[in-house]
Structure formats: structure tokens, C-alpha cells
Amino acid sequence: MGKQYFKVTSKVGSGIMIAIICLALSFFMAGCGKTEAGDTGSGEQTKTAEPKAAAGSDMITGLAGTPSDYSQKDNWMAIPEITHEVDTLYLYPTCYADDSETAKPICDIDNEEVRGRAQDIYENQATVFEESTNVFAPYYRQSNIYHVLGMDSKELEEFQMNEQRTDVYAALDYYFEHYNNGRPFILAGHSQGSIMTRIVLGEYMKVHPEYYERMVAAYVIGYSITSDWLEEHPYLKFAEGADDTGVIVSWNTEGPANKGQNNIVVEDGAISINPLNWKRDDTYASADENLGSRILNAETGAYEIKKKIADAQLDTGRGIVICTTEEVEYTAAEALFGPASLHNNDYALYYENLRENVKARVESFLKYK
């Protein structure tokens, strides 16, 4: 299932793996992508406007720089036709990887290479939400993964409070004012996108309770939600089952050999939910419970749904999901992720179960709204 772009032309070549670090996800393509503005498909017209301060500057302070202009459709990767009662706002993981001497710490909003990679990653992640929701995806300025190499998690989160936060808040402002029309919504991200989603939950939603009350769930995958952080934000709650709503859903995936190893996306006090049985304890879920993983066929270069290849069990002490699959490679950059991280496959290994879970939470929310 593809994106319902207003208009997108892509020049992205065949998939290759990138060794990602602190924030990033999996693949980028050898070429680059380009977006061009056009119709939304819903008949809605958007007027060009000057960028405005993000998120109501009277309520949120310390916003860096001038926000990108989200009245410009070029600054949206996906603006869908409205065919569902619920939306998803998706924030992609790190797509900015420039190790040149002149590389900026934070990319420009119109970086074509970043946009091309973001489009490819959308297909591996955000499509899981398309069956049940209208998926909106803004482009946003991102951290260069090479710039944040030596940062710990605290330094990393502080760095994300720069133009990255300004853009995400501006995109949310524009989305709620012009696109949402009062519909319930899901927040979703991975890695750097999940860091930004966590920032949104901890600050933006606090000052916008009128939005938060319509949140079906927040899928903060590939970055830790910790018990201490939840105590600091008592209005937020973590998922306890398969269909509770207004909750945070989060996990990081590792192989057994990562136990006791450093993983930059796993913080002390992390908590997760099992993406197969949707339990919070260490009940084992065998691969027989896996409805399908989205795996690259190296021979054809196409992604395929393969059933029953990935199991899941929570390590409740470490706060992660343990998977024993041998069907995919571990994430590169061992010094950052450990020798057996499956960070690249947080979505892919549990793709069909996640799709069904989105459907279940949407149906539950609409039933009781």
C-alpha cells in the first residue's frame, strides 16, 4: 500500500543498508528524492502564508530559529485523501547522514537527499498506519547523525530542542489548524522521529490538552520511554494491553546477546510492551503468533511479508523486547547499539501485528468516544 501523496516524483535507486548511529533507522537509497507541490486529493486549498511562531510562543518558550513554512505543500511528504475517521501524524527517523567537512549539524528543510531517504523509510514504516488512518507526514529539519556521535542520551535530547523541535511544532500547529478538522489522531515515529514524538508528548500536548484528549495512541518506537519520565509527566500513561487508548506504545528490539551491553536508544528505567501478545510482563510470544514481518528479498530487491519468523519476549529489567530471529542482520555500529541490536527492524519484524494493533486501538477509541 503506497502513500497518497499530493504529488511526488522519486528518483530513488535500489536499497542499500546504512550503518546508523544514535538516532537513525535502517536503509537509505543510493539516489535522492524530489517532491513537488500539487493537489491534496481532498479538494482543499491551502493559502500561502508567512511562517508563524510554532506551538503558540506565549505558552512554549525557547524555540530556536524561524519555523519552516508548512502552508507550503512542498514541506509535506504526505498529505492524504481523507478516507478514515482517524489521522496519523508520522515523524520519520534520521535520514541526514553527511560526514563531509562542510556538513551542517542540522539539515535544511529542502535537503533533497534527506527527502528521498524519508520517502523510502515511509514505505517500511508509515504504511502500517494507512489501512486504518489518514497518514500525514511533514518534512522537518533533522540532526546530522555524524554531529551527534559523541553525545549521551541527555545531550542528544537537548540538541533535539533546536530547529528540529521548532519545525515539528510548526507542522503540528498547521496540521491541527488546517488539516485535522477535529478528528482523533495517532502520533507515530521511530528513532529520531520518536525522540521528537516524546518531546511533543512531554511539552506540546501538555499545553494543548484540547488536542491530547483526541489522541488515540502514540507509537514511540525505537527510543525509550522510561518510568521516571512518565512520573515527570503524570498526565501521560503507557499502554497496558492491545486496545487501550490515549496511551503510549513503545519498544526497542534486541537479540539475546545484547543483554548487559550499551545501546544508545535504551535508557535506564526503560519500559516496553510486547508487540505480539501486547503484554507488559515477560510472557513469551512465539513466532507462531507473528502475523508477518516485512523483510527485504535480497534477490529481487523487493519487500515481502514473511510469517512466523520473529518471536518476542520482554526483558522487563532492561525494558526491551528480545527477539531470537535469524532472518535479519543485527544493526551496525556495535559500539553504539551493542552487538545484537535489531533497531533497524523495530517496525519490520512485527509489521502485520502492528497493523492489526492500530486497527484495534482505532476501533476501541471510536466505539467509546
Side-chain angles (χ1 to χ4, degrees):
M1 184 180 298
K3 297 179 285 301
Q4 299 175 16
Y5 284 141
F6 39 92
K7 184 179 180 183
V8 168
T9 58
S10 179
K11 299 179 181 178
V12 182
S14 60
I16 59 175
M17 293 294 292
I18 182 171
I20 333 187
I21 48 190
C22 37
L23 307 173
L25 165 74
S26 47
F27 337 63
F28 70 80
M29 301 302 181
C32 62
K34 180 180 179 183
T35 60
E36 297 176 355
D39 295 334
T40 66
S42 62
E44 179 180 1
Q45 298 297 316
T46 305
K47 294 181 180 180
T48 300
E50 291 297 319
K52 66 177 182 177
S57 57
D58 57 325
M59 293 184 287
I60 296 179
T61 60
L63 293 166
T66 301
S68 297
D69 185 357
Y70 288 97
S71 71
Q72 297 294 319
K73 293 175 185 175
D74 267 351
N75 286 336
W76 290 87
M77 177 167 58
I79 302 175
E81 288 188 51
I82 304 305
T83 57
H84 300 285
E85 296 181 69
V86 174
D87 296 343
T88 292
L89 195 134
Y90 166 75
L91 299 175
Y92 49 87
T94 302
C95 298
Y96 183 36
D98 186 346
D99 62 353
S100 67
E101 292 183 0
T102 58
K104 297 179 178 180
I106 301 171
C107 70
D108 296 327
I109 186 69
D110 58 355
N111 185 304
E112 288 193 356
E113 208 168 283
V114 170
R115 290 186 173 205
R117 294 170 188 168
Q119 291 170 24
D120 295 316
I121 290 174
Y122 180 109
E123 294 295 337
N124 288 301
Q125 294 185 350
T127 50
V128 82
F129 301 97
E130 287 186 337
E131 182 178 330
S132 300
T133 71
N134 316 297
V135 182
F136 292 82
Y139 292 113
Y140 65 101
R141 287 173 287 183
Q142 285 199 322
S143 303
N144 187 346
I145 57 177
Y146 292 104
H147 180 76
V148 300
L149 270 174
M151 296 183 183
D152 60 27
S153 59
K154 182 178 180 181
E155 292 170 331
L156 179 58
E157 291 172 30
E158 288 177 352
F159 187 66
Q160 294 303 122
M161 300 294 280
N162 289 297
E163 284 82 0
Q164 308 94 310
R165 177 180 68 146
T166 300
D167 271 8
V168 169
Y169 285 5
L172 284 165
D173 283 347
Y174 198 85
Y175 161 75
F176 282 117
E177 184 175 349
H178 296 276
Y179 292 140
N180 176 256
N181 292 321
R183 288 185 297 276
F185 64 92
I186 287 170
L187 297 175
H190 185 257
S191 205
Q192 182 169 178
S194 282
I195 296 176
M196 301 316 301
T197 303
R198 192 171 106 159
I199 290 171
V200 168
L201 290 167
E203 183 177 54
Y204 187 94
M205 289 301 162
K206 183 176 182 179
V207 300
H208 286 293
E210 75 279 16
Y211 299 154
Y212 177 61
E213 67 182 11
R214 302 203 307 272
M215 190 186 82
V216 175
Y219 288 86
V220 187
I221 299 171
Y223 197 75
S224 290
I225 296 295
T226 68
S227 53
D228 287 347
W229 185 81
L230 287 174
E231 288 180 7
E232 294 170 3
H233 303 86
Y235 58 94
L236 299 173
K237 57 184 178 178
F238 200 88
E240 297 292 340
D243 62 357
D244 46 350
T245 61
V247 297
I248 299 171
V249 179
S250 181
W251 67 83
N252 284 283
T253 318
E254 297 184 325
N258 241 36
K259 189 174 182 66
Q261 303 294 319
N262 178 67
N263 185 339
I264 189 66
V265 295
V266 177
E267 297 186 54
D268 290 340
I271 55 179
S272 291
I273 194 167
N274 189 312
L276 292 184
N277 60 26
W278 304 103
K279 294 182 178 181
R280 291 281 306 280
D281 59 24
D282 62 358
T283 302
Y284 177 69
S286 73
D288 288 340
E289 298 179 60
N290 194 320
L291 301 176
S293 305
R294 195 173 193 269
I295 302 298
L296 179 67
N297 184 320
E299 294 183 0
T300 66
Y303 284 89
E304 301 173 351
I305 299 298
K306 298 184 69 173
K307 296 183 178 181
K308 302 181 179 181
I309 67 167
D311 58 0
Q313 183 175 26
L314 291 190
D315 179 334
T316 55
R318 187 170 170 85
I320 55 89
V321 170
I322 301 170
C323 178
T324 63
T325 184
E326 297 180 357
E327 293 277 342
V328 294
E329 295 181 2
Y330 289 132
T331 302
E334 179 178 331
L336 291 166
F337 291 107
S341 169
L342 289 164
H343 181 65
N344 292 353
N345 294 282
D346 286 323
Y347 271 77
L349 289 173
Y350 309 111
Y351 187 88
E352 290 296 330
N353 291 75
L354 179 53
R355 186 200 299 275
E356 288 300 310
N357 184 250
V358 171
K359 181 179 179 181
R361 294 189 196 276
V362 165
E363 290 179 348
S364 178
F365 187 94
L366 293 177
K367 181 178 180 180
Y368 296 108
K369 72 172 182 177

